[in-house]
Amino acid sequence: MAADQAGSRTDNGHRGESPAVPRNEEDLERIARICAAGADGDLWMDTRSVELYLGISRRTLYRLVKNGAIPVSRVGRRIRVSKRALDVAVAAGLVW
């Protein structure tokens, strides 16, 4: 990779994509709910919550959904992801 391109990549390795970072109080509350859910209970997360939980961009999330790496349920046009199923996919190495 050329030296001028080295700085253009983000932490997730994809050009032009920024990993999700908390932008406001609502994002911090989402992270707190995800952490509080623990391994016992299940939590259904929206796309923003999944982005924050995994630290990935929206574009990466939709690519993983399209490839079947992240199991989703659809409610109308909305996507919901089970935290339990997502944790299993991450542990199995399907997401990375």
Side-chain angles (χ1 to χ4, degrees):
M1 179 176 357
D4 60 332
Q5 291 179 345
S8 65
R9 290 193 182 263
T10 58
D11 289 341
N12 62 7
H14 300 284
R15 236 181 247 141
E17 297 181 38
S18 299
V21 294
R23 294 186 298 233
N24 52 35
E25 190 68 32
E26 183 181 343
D27 284 350
L28 294 173
E29 290 173 9
R30 287 174 192 258
I31 293 170
R33 275 194 308 270
I34 293 167
C35 292
D40 301 346
D42 200 9
L43 174 71
W44 288 90
M45 300 185 289
D46 60 4
T47 56
R48 180 67 182 155
S49 296
V50 176
E51 292 170 34
L52 291 167
Y53 183 57
L54 296 179
I56 60 176
S57 69
R58 178 162 292 188
R59 184 175 176 181
T60 299
L61 172 61
Y62 281 110
R63 186 173 346 110
L64 290 169
V65 168
K66 182 179 178 183
N67 294 339
I70 293 181
V72 299
S73 292
R74 293 193 180 265
V75 179
R77 294 182 62 194
R78 297 177 189 264
I79 292 174
R80 294 294 181 257
V81 179
S82 162
K83 181 180 182 295
R84 185 179 299 151
L86 184 59
D87 288 341
V88 169
V90 169
L94 298 176
V95 173
W96 304 140

